[in-house]
Amino acid sequence: MTTDKKFNLIDEQWIPIRERGLFSLRDIFSDPSLRRIGGNPIQKTAIFKLLCAIAQSAWTPKTEEEWRQSTVEDFCRKCLAYLEKWHAKFWLYGDEPFLQVPAVADLTVKVYSFATLNLEKASGNTTVLTQFQLQAEPTDADKALLLVTLMCFAIGGKKADNSKVLTPGYKGKSKSGKAGASLGTRGYLHSYVLADSVASTVWLNLFSEERLSKLPCFPEGVGTAPWEKMPAGEDCDVARKLKDSLMGRLVPLGRFCLLTDDGMYCTEGIAHDDHQSGRFDPTQSVERKKNKFNSLWADPDKKPWRSLTSILSFLGSQDASRYVCCQVELGMSRARDCFESVELWSGGVSVTYQSGEQYMAGSDDFVESCFDFSPQDVGEQFFETFSASVEQLDRLSKQLYKCVLGYYTAMGTEGKTMAGRAASQFWEIAGLHAQELIDSCVPGEDPEPVRYFFRATMRNTYNESCPHFTPRQLQAWAKNQPNASQKGKER
């Protein structure tokens, strides 16, 4: 590895900002015009989590009242002062490289190419579909972004050399590397509330000690940022404390890495428990049923907006089995006092897990959605109206599938493919009008015009999917025609 390289994440531009380009950590907390993090959904989540880790290290309010008395400007000053204090820990190269473990080089751990560790890039025998999948010569900014993303979203399997361990006697490694704590086996869906700038978004999502004490996931509380004190191994005292703290979820250190000129030394790092054990990221939506935990997953066939009723279920009547997203609940409750409008972002990547290997198959993809909300209008009444509207969409979709299937059965042909295609088309159109649906559900608005539009969309999709020109077609079409009543008594 070249040791004379100079790249500090505080000073250098490496963070993608939508429609603006690359910016530094210092820029994030000093330029309020930087509105939205760019990149793909897992890069956005990983950067957000890193910024939250810096913020929590700079200032964790003791109580919610202390947070309410703060301002974004004062918060940013604290973060900038913290970055100056720990400037020496943010070098990408050197004796103490940022979020890296130089000891892995002494273990002769395998070096992996940057393309191998990047979900978006083709490597090995992966089929290349577009030029974008080819890995160009990565810049230092690319390497910094890959490193930060890898800490949270490392792909499980053989893209980590687990033949060596740093903690003597540690037996926690198998031949295949464990999936990143923020990825899970299928790809978790992450959500959080966006304010009017990146810095104010981080400020809005900052946990207080009071709020954190109510979350059993983090018995160690906030914890210590790993760049302040890196673990010496997979199961040392520092590693165990990270597993029990918020900091360990914000920057999980799922891989112990070291950058080289051609790639990275890479082995499994800290193995965090998954959601089934009751440990999960604050940005995950998790439901507890008796002694079992379920998580929302990224699903290309079910865009994130269709999971809004689960993500926002804390707004409804209290139910022991409801989904909870701690980050969204925190952001929405605070936004009512300081923002007229916010956005709710959800995103992730779906992956396939088979025989110990994790990869993106042909049906897998990145997914994300973002919608405007007036936090003052988002309460129990909104949630009940919105839930009823989404339930109607689900009924319409199922009825459409049943009617199209009935039509093709009457025509004497296999109809499951066409029925599934019609239902998918219906949901695609519904997704284009999801913001209108949300706006129609706020108190004082009438949701019926939007609901009528969806009923008409269902009928139009049926007509387009079922030809009705010949007498036989007309008979099958008329017999199976959907009937969506205003009261929702669909047949």
Side-chain angles (χ1 to χ4, degrees):
M1 182 183 71
T2 303
T3 58
D4 59 352
K5 288 186 176 181
K6 300 293 183 182
F7 189 94
N8 192 289
L9 279 72
I10 296 173
D11 307 317
E12 304 289 345
Q13 282 69 44
W14 66 276
I15 300 173
I17 298 296
R18 195 178 69 192
E19 300 178 352
R20 294 287 301 274
L22 301 180
F23 292 83
S24 68
L25 285 170
R26 183 181 286 110
D27 294 332
I28 295 296
F29 294 105
S30 58
D31 187 349
S33 72
L34 304 181
R35 284 183 45 78
R36 296 289 177 262
I37 299 169
N40 65 44
I42 63 173
Q43 290 170 339
K44 290 177 181 179
T45 304
I47 293 170
F48 168 76
K49 285 155 61 70
L50 173 64
L51 296 175
C52 287
I54 292 170
Q56 297 282 174
S57 300
W59 176 60
T60 297
K62 293 186 181 300
T63 64
E64 285 298 289
E65 180 59 30
E66 183 180 347
W67 181 89
R68 283 191 290 270
Q69 295 299 321
S70 69
T71 64
V72 178
E73 293 76 18
D74 187 49
F75 162 74
C76 287
R77 284 191 288 271
K78 287 182 171 69
C79 291
L80 289 170
Y82 176 84
L83 290 175
E84 291 306 314
K85 177 182 177 181
W86 293 96
H87 186 276
K89 297 293 186 178
F90 284 80
W91 291 102
L92 194 60
Y93 307 101
D95 295 332
E96 297 181 78
F98 182 68
L99 298 185
Q100 297 168 68
V101 182
V104 297
D106 300 329
L107 296 177
T108 63
V109 168
K110 181 180 177 181
V111 175
Y112 295 84
S113 70
F114 297 113
T116 299
L117 300 172
N118 192 335
L119 262 177
E120 287 189 314
K121 303 303 178 182
S123 64
N125 61 357
T126 305
T127 301
V128 178
L129 300 177
T130 68
Q131 190 73 16
F132 180 75
Q133 288 180 274
L134 297 177
Q135 176 71 65
E137 183 64 29
T139 63
D140 287 332
D142 295 329
K143 295 174 184 178
L145 181 57
L146 175 60
L147 177 68
V148 170
T149 306
L150 196 64
M151 293 300 105
C152 302
F153 292 94
I155 285 288
K158 295 179 181 178
K159 295 180 180 180
D161 182 358
N162 279 2
S163 62
K164 306 288 195 307
V165 297
L166 278 78
T167 298
Y170 178 64
K171 303 294 185 182
K173 286 187 178 180
S174 62
K175 291 183 179 180
S176 297
K178 189 175 181 180
S182 302
L183 183 65
T185 54
R186 292 162 48 195
Y188 294 125
L189 184 69
H190 296 269
S191 306
Y192 54 93
V193 180
L194 306 177
D196 54 11
S197 71
V198 177
S200 58
T201 292
V202 177
W203 172 69
L204 182 66
N205 286 277
L206 192 72
F207 279 95
S208 65
E209 291 181 10
E210 177 186 0
R211 196 93 180 200
L212 207 57
S213 66
K214 300 176 182 178
L215 303 180
C217 293
F218 312 114
E220 287 284 336
V222 174
T224 302
W227 51 82
E228 293 185 21
K229 190 172 185 180
M230 285 290 287
E234 301 87 351
D235 196 38
C236 64
D237 289 341
V238 174
R240 286 194 290 270
K241 287 183 178 180
L242 282 171
K243 290 171 71 172
D244 289 336
S245 69
L246 172 65
M247 204 60 65
R249 278 290 169 171
L250 296 177
V251 189
L253 296 182
R255 293 291 182 267
F256 287 166
C257 302
L258 182 65
L259 285 166
T260 72
D261 291 333
D262 302 320
M264 282 189 194
Y265 292 98
C266 189
T267 184
E268 185 180 297
I270 300 175
H272 291 264
D273 294 330
D274 63 15
H275 70 280
Q276 295 180 9
S277 64
R279 299 292 181 92
F280 43 86
D281 289 4
T283 50
Q284 284 177 244
S285 295
V286 177
E287 171 194 44
R288 180 171 185 173
K289 283 190 174 181
K290 297 183 179 179
N291 295 322
K292 182 180 179 181
F293 291 88
N294 300 315
S295 178
L296 292 183
W297 301 95
D299 184 356
D301 293 328
K302 184 181 179 182
K303 296 297 188 288
W305 74 270
R306 292 174 58 187
S307 297
L308 279 176
T309 51
S310 295
I311 297 169
L312 295 172
S313 62
F314 65 89
L315 297 170
S317 58
Q318 296 297 312
D319 182 351
S321 64
R322 67 191 177 108
Y323 277 90
V324 173
C325 181
C326 304
Q327 202 75 68
V328 171
E329 186 173 5
L330 174 68
M332 279 295 188
S333 64
R334 287 177 172 174
R336 295 188 183 101
D337 299 326
C338 46
F339 294 101
E340 292 184 1
S341 178
V342 293
E343 296 176 8
L344 176 56
W345 180 89
S346 298
V349 61
S350 66
V351 290
T352 296
Y353 182 84
Q354 187 174 6
S355 303
E357 285 298 303
Q358 209 172 24
Y359 53 91
M360 288 185 72
S363 59
D364 294 319
D365 201 356
F366 295 101
V367 297
E368 64 178 313
S369 65
C370 192
F371 296 102
D372 294 324
F373 286 87
S374 173
Q376 291 77 17
D377 293 332
V378 178
E380 185 172 350
Q381 182 180 344
F382 163 83
F383 180 75
E384 296 302 328
T385 305
F386 180 70
S387 296
S389 294
V390 174
E391 288 174 6
Q392 183 214 36
L393 286 177
D394 191 55
R395 290 195 302 269
L396 292 174
S397 171
K398 290 178 179 177
Q399 184 191 180
L400 176 62
Y401 182 95
K402 180 180 179 181
C403 291
V404 174
L405 180 62
Y407 168 88
Y408 282 96
T409 299
M411 293 296 294
T413 61
E414 194 280 323
K416 289 185 178 180
T417 299
M418 289 301 297
R421 189 176 300 169
S424 295
Q425 181 181 341
F426 172 80
W427 282 115
E428 285 294 327
I429 296 172
L432 296 175
H433 298 271
Q435 183 66 61
E436 297 170 39
L437 177 66
I438 291 169
D439 294 340
S440 73
C441 295
V442 301
E445 296 293 330
D446 181 10
E448 184 51 36
V450 176
R451 293 179 180 179
Y452 176 83
F453 168 80
F454 289 128
R455 292 196 295 271
T457 298
M458 185 265 288
R459 290 191 292 268
N460 292 338
T461 305
Y462 173 79
N463 292 338
E464 293 172 4
S465 302
C466 303
H468 44 290
F469 303 107
T470 69
R472 186 182 175 202
Q473 288 174 341
L474 275 169
Q475 185 178 18
W477 172 81
K479 180 181 179 181
N480 293 282
Q481 197 171 37
N483 178 24
S485 68
Q486 183 173 340
K487 294 182 180 180
K489 296 180 180 179
E490 298 88 351
R491 62 181 237 181

